[in-house]
Short mmCIF file of all heavy atoms in Angstrom, two decimals:
data_model
loop_
_atom_site.label_atom_id
_atom_site.label_comp_id
_atom_site.label_asym_id
_atom_site.label_seq_id
_atom_site.Cartn_x
_atom_site.Cartn_y
_atom_site.Cartn_z
N GLY C 48 -2.54 24.40 20.52
CA GLY C 48 -3.26 25.42 21.27
C GLY C 48 -3.96 24.79 22.46
O GLY C 48 -3.57 23.71 22.91
N THR C 49 -4.98 25.46 22.94
CA THR C 49 -5.76 24.92 24.05
C THR C 49 -7.23 24.86 23.65
O THR C 49 -7.71 25.66 22.86
CB THR C 49 -5.61 25.77 25.33
OG1 THR C 49 -5.94 27.12 25.03
CG2 THR C 49 -4.20 25.70 25.88
N THR C 50 -7.92 23.91 24.25
CA THR C 50 -9.35 23.76 24.03
C THR C 50 -10.09 24.77 24.90
O THR C 50 -9.48 25.45 25.73
CB THR C 50 -9.82 22.34 24.40
OG1 THR C 50 -9.66 22.16 25.82
CG2 THR C 50 -9.04 21.27 23.66
N THR C 51 -11.40 24.84 24.75
CA THR C 51 -12.19 25.75 25.59
C THR C 51 -12.10 25.36 27.06
O THR C 51 -12.31 26.20 27.93
CB THR C 51 -13.67 25.76 25.15
OG1 THR C 51 -14.16 24.42 25.16
CG2 THR C 51 -13.82 26.36 23.77
N ASP C 52 -11.76 24.10 27.35
CA ASP C 52 -11.59 23.64 28.73
C ASP C 52 -10.17 23.81 29.24
O ASP C 52 -9.87 23.41 30.37
CB ASP C 52 -12.00 22.17 28.85
CG ASP C 52 -13.48 21.95 28.61
OD1 ASP C 52 -14.27 22.87 28.93
OD2 ASP C 52 -13.85 20.89 28.11
N GLY C 53 -9.28 24.37 28.41
CA GLY C 53 -7.91 24.61 28.84
C GLY C 53 -6.96 23.45 28.62
O GLY C 53 -5.80 23.51 29.02
N ASN C 54 -7.42 22.39 27.96
CA ASN C 54 -6.54 21.26 27.67
C ASN C 54 -5.73 21.53 26.40
O ASN C 54 -6.09 22.37 25.58
CB ASN C 54 -7.36 19.98 27.49
CG ASN C 54 -7.97 19.52 28.79
OD1 ASN C 54 -7.26 19.36 29.78
ND2 ASN C 54 -9.27 19.31 28.81
N LEU C 55 -4.65 20.79 26.26
CA LEU C 55 -3.79 20.91 25.09
C LEU C 55 -4.45 20.28 23.88
O LEU C 55 -4.99 19.17 23.97
CB LEU C 55 -2.45 20.21 25.38
CG LEU C 55 -1.43 20.21 24.25
CD1 LEU C 55 -0.87 21.61 24.03
CD2 LEU C 55 -0.29 19.24 24.57
N THR C 56 -4.42 20.97 22.74
CA THR C 56 -4.88 20.37 21.49
C THR C 56 -3.76 20.47 20.47
O THR C 56 -3.08 21.50 20.38
CB THR C 56 -6.19 21.02 20.98
OG1 THR C 56 -6.67 20.29 19.83
CG2 THR C 56 -6.03 22.47 20.63
N VAL C 57 -3.54 19.38 19.75
CA VAL C 57 -2.44 19.30 18.79
C VAL C 57 -2.98 18.75 17.48
O VAL C 57 -3.70 17.75 17.47
CB VAL C 57 -1.33 18.35 19.30
CG1 VAL C 57 -0.21 18.22 18.29
CG2 VAL C 57 -0.80 18.80 20.65
N ARG C 58 -2.66 19.41 16.37
CA ARG C 58 -2.99 18.88 15.05
C ARG C 58 -1.68 18.73 14.29
O ARG C 58 -0.87 19.65 14.26
CB ARG C 58 -3.93 19.80 14.28
CG ARG C 58 -4.35 19.19 12.93
CD ARG C 58 -5.37 19.99 12.19
NE ARG C 58 -6.64 20.09 12.86
CZ ARG C 58 -7.63 19.19 12.80
NH1 ARG C 58 -7.45 18.07 12.13
NH2 ARG C 58 -8.77 19.40 13.43
N ILE C 59 -1.48 17.54 13.70
CA ILE C 59 -0.27 17.28 12.94
C ILE C 59 -0.63 16.56 11.63
O ILE C 59 -1.72 16.01 11.49
CB ILE C 59 0.76 16.41 13.73
CG1 ILE C 59 0.15 15.07 14.15
CG2 ILE C 59 1.32 17.20 14.90
CD1 ILE C 59 1.15 14.11 14.79
N ALA C 60 0.32 16.59 10.71
CA ALA C 60 0.20 15.85 9.46
C ALA C 60 1.07 14.61 9.57
O ALA C 60 2.21 14.68 10.05
CB ALA C 60 0.65 16.72 8.30
N VAL C 61 0.53 13.47 9.16
CA VAL C 61 1.30 12.22 9.15
C VAL C 61 1.08 11.50 7.82
O VAL C 61 0.06 11.72 7.16
CB VAL C 61 0.93 11.28 10.33
CG1 VAL C 61 1.29 11.91 11.66
CG2 VAL C 61 -0.53 10.89 10.30
N GLU C 62 2.02 10.67 7.46
CA GLU C 62 1.91 9.83 6.27
C GLU C 62 1.74 8.39 6.75
O GLU C 62 2.49 7.92 7.60
CB GLU C 62 3.18 9.92 5.42
CG GLU C 62 3.44 11.29 4.82
CD GLU C 62 2.63 11.52 3.55
OE1 GLU C 62 2.32 10.54 2.85
OE2 GLU C 62 2.31 12.69 3.28
N ALA C 63 0.74 7.71 6.19
CA ALA C 63 0.51 6.32 6.56
C ALA C 63 -0.36 5.65 5.50
O ALA C 63 -1.12 6.32 4.79
CB ALA C 63 -0.17 6.24 7.92
N ALA C 64 -0.26 4.34 5.42
CA ALA C 64 -1.03 3.59 4.43
C ALA C 64 -2.49 3.42 4.84
O ALA C 64 -3.36 3.27 3.98
CB ALA C 64 -0.39 2.23 4.20
N THR C 65 -2.77 3.44 6.14
CA THR C 65 -4.14 3.22 6.62
C THR C 65 -4.47 4.20 7.74
O THR C 65 -3.57 4.78 8.37
CB THR C 65 -4.31 1.79 7.17
OG1 THR C 65 -3.49 1.65 8.34
CG2 THR C 65 -3.95 0.72 6.15
N ALA C 66 -5.76 4.35 8.00
CA ALA C 66 -6.19 5.22 9.10
C ALA C 66 -5.67 4.67 10.43
O ALA C 66 -5.28 5.44 11.32
CB ALA C 66 -7.71 5.32 9.12
N ARG C 67 -5.67 3.36 10.59
CA ARG C 67 -5.16 2.75 11.83
C ARG C 67 -3.70 3.11 12.05
O ARG C 67 -3.29 3.50 13.14
CB ARG C 67 -5.33 1.23 11.80
CG ARG C 67 -4.77 0.56 13.05
CD ARG C 67 -4.83 -0.96 12.94
NE ARG C 67 -6.19 -1.42 12.81
CZ ARG C 67 -6.99 -1.77 13.83
NH1 ARG C 67 -6.53 -1.70 15.06
NH2 ARG C 67 -8.20 -2.20 13.61
N ARG C 68 -2.90 3.00 10.99
CA ARG C 68 -1.47 3.31 11.13
C ARG C 68 -1.27 4.81 11.37
O ARG C 68 -0.40 5.22 12.14
CB ARG C 68 -0.70 2.85 9.89
CG ARG C 68 0.78 2.97 10.05
CD ARG C 68 1.32 2.04 11.16
NE ARG C 68 2.66 2.46 11.50
CZ ARG C 68 3.09 2.71 12.72
NH1 ARG C 68 2.30 2.55 13.76
NH2 ARG C 68 4.31 3.10 12.94
N ALA C 69 -2.08 5.65 10.72
CA ALA C 69 -1.99 7.09 10.94
C ALA C 69 -2.31 7.42 12.40
O ALA C 69 -1.65 8.26 13.01
CB ALA C 69 -2.95 7.83 10.01
N THR C 70 -3.29 6.74 12.95
CA THR C 70 -3.66 6.94 14.36
C THR C 70 -2.52 6.53 15.28
O THR C 70 -2.16 7.28 16.20
CB THR C 70 -4.93 6.13 14.68
OG1 THR C 70 -6.00 6.58 13.84
CG2 THR C 70 -5.33 6.28 16.14
N GLU C 71 -1.94 5.37 15.03
CA GLU C 71 -0.83 4.88 15.87
C GLU C 71 0.37 5.84 15.79
O GLU C 71 0.98 6.16 16.82
CB GLU C 71 -0.42 3.48 15.43
CG GLU C 71 -1.47 2.43 15.71
CD GLU C 71 -1.20 1.09 15.02
OE1 GLU C 71 -0.27 1.02 14.16
OE2 GLU C 71 -1.92 0.13 15.33
N THR C 72 0.67 6.30 14.58
CA THR C 72 1.80 7.21 14.39
C THR C 72 1.55 8.52 15.14
O THR C 72 2.43 9.03 15.84
CB THR C 72 2.02 7.49 12.89
OG1 THR C 72 2.32 6.25 12.24
CG2 THR C 72 3.16 8.47 12.67
N ALA C 73 0.34 9.08 14.98
CA ALA C 73 0.01 10.34 15.66
C ALA C 73 0.07 10.18 17.17
O ALA C 73 0.62 11.04 17.86
CB ALA C 73 -1.37 10.81 15.22
N LEU C 74 -0.47 9.09 17.69
CA LEU C 74 -0.42 8.85 19.13
C LEU C 74 1.02 8.77 19.63
O LEU C 74 1.36 9.37 20.65
CB LEU C 74 -1.17 7.56 19.49
CG LEU C 74 -2.69 7.63 19.45
CD1 LEU C 74 -3.29 6.23 19.49
CD2 LEU C 74 -3.22 8.47 20.61
N ASP C 75 1.88 8.05 18.90
CA ASP C 75 3.28 7.91 19.30
C ASP C 75 4.00 9.26 19.27
O ASP C 75 4.74 9.61 20.20
CB ASP C 75 4.01 6.92 18.39
CG ASP C 75 3.55 5.49 18.59
OD1 ASP C 75 2.87 5.19 19.60
OD2 ASP C 75 3.85 4.65 17.71
N LEU C 76 3.80 10.02 18.18
CA LEU C 76 4.48 11.30 18.04
C LEU C 76 4.06 12.30 19.11
O LEU C 76 4.89 12.97 19.73
CB LEU C 76 4.20 11.90 16.65
CG LEU C 76 4.87 11.20 15.46
CD1 LEU C 76 4.27 11.69 14.15
CD2 LEU C 76 6.38 11.44 15.50
N VAL C 77 2.76 12.39 19.35
CA VAL C 77 2.26 13.35 20.33
C VAL C 77 2.64 12.93 21.75
O VAL C 77 2.99 13.76 22.58
CB VAL C 77 0.75 13.59 20.16
CG1 VAL C 77 0.19 14.43 21.28
CG2 VAL C 77 0.48 14.25 18.80
N ALA C 78 2.62 11.63 22.02
CA ALA C 78 3.04 11.16 23.35
C ALA C 78 4.50 11.51 23.61
O ALA C 78 4.85 11.96 24.71
CB ALA C 78 2.82 9.65 23.47
N ALA C 79 5.35 11.35 22.61
CA ALA C 79 6.76 11.70 22.77
C ALA C 79 6.94 13.20 22.99
O ALA C 79 7.71 13.63 23.84
CB ALA C 79 7.56 11.24 21.55
N ALA C 80 6.18 14.00 22.24
CA ALA C 80 6.30 15.45 22.35
C ALA C 80 5.78 15.96 23.69
O ALA C 80 6.41 16.80 24.34
CB ALA C 80 5.56 16.13 21.21
N THR C 81 4.63 15.46 24.12
CA THR C 81 4.08 15.91 25.40
C THR C 81 4.93 15.39 26.56
O THR C 81 5.10 16.08 27.56
CB THR C 81 2.61 15.50 25.57
OG1 THR C 81 2.48 14.09 25.41
CG2 THR C 81 1.72 16.22 24.57
N GLY C 82 5.47 14.19 26.41
CA GLY C 82 6.36 13.65 27.44
C GLY C 82 7.61 14.51 27.59
O GLY C 82 8.07 14.78 28.70
#
Side-chain angles (χ1 to χ4, degrees):
T49 54
T50 66
T51 55
D52 293 329
N54 291 307
L55 178 70
T56 186
V57 178
R58 184 175 296 276
I59 58 173
V61 296
E62 295 279 331
T65 65
R67 178 185 299 268
R68 188 64 195 128
T70 300
E71 292 168 351
T72 299
L74 285 166
D75 291 346
L76 289 167
V77 172
T81 56

